[in-house]
Amino acid sequence: MTAISRRTALAGIAATGALAPTALGAAERGDVTGIVARHMVASRTAALPPAVIEAAKHRILDTFGAMISGARMKPGLAALKYVQALGGKPEVGVVASQFRTTAVNAALANAMFAHADETDDFEPVTKAHPGCSAVPAALAMGEKNNASGMALIRAVVLGYDLGCRLLMALGPDSVRAGHRSAEGTSSTYCALGSAILAPLGETGMRHALSYASQQVSGLWSWIDDEDHIEKAFDFAGMGARNGVMAVTMVESGMTGVHDVLDGTHNLLKALSAKPDPAALTTGLGKDFFVTRSAIKTYTVGYPNQSALDALLTLRRENKLTADMVKSILVRLPTDAVGIVGTSAMPDVNNPHLVSVALLKGAVSFDDAHDVALMKNPQVLAIRARTTVVPDESLMDPAAPRGAIVELTLNDGRVLKHHTRFPSGTPENPLSADEVSAKVLDLIAPVMGKARAQRLIAATWQLEKMPSVRQLAALMRV
């Protein structure tokens, strides 16, 4: 297994051919709901390019790592306690436990696990976090309906496309300008990829789109959540619950609105002053967002990835120690400073994380989550000479989460490094072995090394698995 680059993915797509049936004929251009619904139905059986399958497995495994490790964190424990109190028909398992509940409840809990930490993937252009809602929703519907591993892959690929394209149709900047969360707004549609794991035709897909659209939500207020519990709901649990609920409601026989993306009071008009409906359909079946998301190398908030990469590069290349550095200047995109500049959460706080990185030469999972480390005198001494500033030049659509770190040394030298694409981005991807190593480090403490290795190996062979229930069984602890 090898790393997946944008060039490799596009080459694989060209070699295999586009997914069949979503050509935009002139007669269809006014029926966005129909185009999307028909694409959803077609996605159930359409062949995927090998590069897309491989990219999907990278993201699925990465999300499994986030889910299982997150189950033992504060937001995960709160989610498990909540769904245990709800009870419900034992359709689906909650990972890292022996508890079974409805598909809706399991999707909610597993998705909150997936964003209990800053471990899940991130799509740099839209700012969506597609994996933490798409994967738990598909897993819940796949286990409920005894779907194959390949069907799960198709559902996840579709979820990435629906969620990210919804944001493109609304305009990511417009969403945030309206005090809405791009992450929350996209998450319900990311989870709606699970619809292909239910026996729905075009009409059923239209109705599922409508029920999902009624639930699309998300406010940018999540940045004030110091415990990361509501944030886990906002980014992931809410969307996974909404998507699976929409699908299972229609699966049960409920009917809905036929044209929620086109009618007078449609979703796009409701959430955007200048919607671009074509962005929701252009490239469907040809250009796959699952190849575009970034898998995090460090288990920290995404705007910190480039800054840590730059700091650690300077430290390594110049053989620096903390006592050699007089001051640190971190330049971030202007829309990132408000998120990571002063956060109370250690895994989100940029000046804290770069201080730890300079002191230790790395930022481990434990380091990123050690609240006591935020009061460590050595860390505080470095942080006192660290400044984080917004830099308009870093608002680069081609590299939207870059960072520049400047170190002024005690001997007067000034060292500078600009990281445009941190490791894990499509331009600088992680290999399959690197993703496996990250996931093993995250989940072995929860389920044991041997069981963790079996889950990882099974995920890399997912397209050959006859039943998702085999995969779900490996995740019970």
Side-chain angles (χ1 to χ4, degrees):
M1 289 169 287
T2 57
I4 300 295
S5 68
R6 177 74 61 83
R7 181 178 297 174
T8 302
L10 292 176
I13 292 166
T16 307
L19 293 183
T22 53
L24 300 181
E28 292 186 311
R29 292 184 185 274
D31 183 19
V32 176
T33 313
I35 295 169
V36 174
R38 288 188 287 278
H39 174 74
M40 292 168 72
V41 174
S43 295
R44 187 178 287 125
T45 56
L48 288 172
V52 174
I53 294 173
E54 188 74 4
K57 290 191 293 184
H58 279 233
R59 275 89 185 152
I60 291 169
L61 180 58
D62 186 63
T63 306
F64 286 166
M67 288 164 58
I68 293 168
S69 60
R72 296 295 185 264
M73 301 185 74
K74 187 175 180 180
L77 294 172
L80 178 60
K81 180 181 178 181
Y82 174 67
V83 296
Q84 284 176 327
L86 293 177
K89 183 180 178 181
E91 297 175 322
V92 173
V94 175
V95 305
S97 77
Q98 292 293 323
F99 181 65
R100 296 179 65 78
T101 183
T102 66
V104 172
N105 290 346
L108 166 63
N110 289 338
M112 286 189 67
F113 295 175
H115 195 71
D117 184 29
E118 297 294 334
T119 306
D120 55 302
D121 69 334
F122 172 90
E123 203 289 302
V125 174
T126 62
K127 309 299 192 292
H129 283 238
C132 61
S133 53
V135 174
L139 182 66
M141 286 301 300
E143 184 178 356
K144 171 182 172 291
N145 290 345
N146 198 25
S148 69
M150 189 63 219
L152 177 73
I153 289 172
R154 289 188 175 108
V156 170
V157 170
L158 177 61
Y160 274 66
D161 280 339
L162 294 178
C164 294
R165 279 187 166 81
L166 174 63
L167 285 177
M168 295 302 290
L170 297 174
D173 293 337
S174 176
V175 169
R176 288 196 165 194
H179 306 283
R180 299 183 65 87
S181 158
E183 302 85 356
T185 298
S186 63
S187 63
T188 297
Y189 263 50
C190 288
L192 199 54
S194 65
I196 66 172
L197 304 177
L200 306 181
E202 179 185 334
T203 297
M205 294 301 188
R206 285 175 177 267
H207 295 164
L209 283 163
S210 187
Y211 279 111
S213 296
Q214 288 288 356
Q215 299 178 86
V216 169
S217 185
L219 302 178
W220 211 354
S221 56
W222 62 260
I223 60 172
D224 295 325
D225 175 25
E226 296 183 3
D227 291 328
H228 211 295
I229 294 176
E230 184 183 337
K231 187 170 184 281
F233 175 76
D234 296 347
F235 276 49
M238 174 179 66
R241 178 205 63 188
N242 292 350
V244 173
M245 181 178 286
V247 174
T248 54
M249 288 168 74
V250 178
E251 189 180 34
S252 76
M254 296 176 70
T255 59
V257 173
H258 196 69
D259 59 350
V260 72
L261 299 174
D262 306 281
T264 303
H265 306 293
N266 70 67
L267 173 66
L268 304 182
K269 287 182 179 178
L271 298 187
S272 177
K274 295 181 179 180
D276 179 12
L280 192 52
T281 59
T282 301
L284 271 176
K286 298 178 182 179
D287 185 14
F288 299 88
F289 271 86
V290 79
T291 68
R292 298 187 185 186
S293 79
I295 295 176
K296 295 176 182 176
T297 301
Y298 309 101
T299 55
V300 301
Y302 195 77
N304 294 309
Q305 301 286 319
S306 289
L308 288 177
D309 179 273
L311 185 285
L312 290 169
T313 297
L314 290 172
R315 189 186 192 280
R316 180 178 62 256
E317 290 181 349
N318 296 278
K319 298 180 172 56
L320 300 177
T321 58
D323 58 4
M324 297 170 64
V325 179
K326 180 179 181 181
S327 64
I328 305 171
L329 177 63
V330 181
R331 299 184 181 277
L332 297 176
T334 58
D335 66 347
V337 174
I339 300 171
V340 301
T342 58
S343 175
M345 294 179 278
D347 55 341
V348 179
N349 188 301
N350 183 274
H352 169 69
L353 291 168
V354 296
S355 299
V356 172
L358 179 60
L359 179 66
K360 296 193 171 191
V363 179
S364 68
F365 178 87
D366 289 339
D367 290 337
H369 298 85
D370 187 353
V371 176
L373 199 56
M374 296 188 83
K375 298 181 180 179
N376 179 287
Q378 290 178 289
V379 174
L380 289 174
I382 301 171
R383 187 169 167 179
R385 53 186 194 267
T386 300
T387 304
V388 179
V389 299
D391 187 332
E392 186 66 35
S393 72
L394 293 172
M395 295 294 288
D396 178 2
R401 277 293 180 250
I404 299 170
V405 172
E406 298 178 21
L407 302 182
T408 301
L409 306 188
N410 291 323
D411 63 10
R413 287 183 293 158
V414 177
L415 307 176
K416 180 178 177 180
H417 187 84
H418 179 189
T419 294
R420 295 187 74 224
F421 304 110
S423 57
T425 56
E427 296 81 5
N428 185 17
L430 297 180
S431 68
D433 287 343
E434 288 170 326
V435 176
S436 294
K438 173 189 172 180
V439 173
L440 182 64
D441 183 57
L442 287 171
I443 69 177
V446 178
M447 61 195 314
K449 185 175 181 180
R451 192 179 183 90
Q453 289 174 325
R454 289 198 298 273
L455 174 61
I456 291 168
T459 305
W460 288 124
Q461 297 297 316
L462 186 57
E463 71 271 36
K464 301 176 183 177
M465 186 174 288
S467 174
V468 170
R469 291 175 181 173
Q470 297 172 245
L471 193 67
L474 288 172
M475 290 190 271
R476 297 195 184 104
V477 178

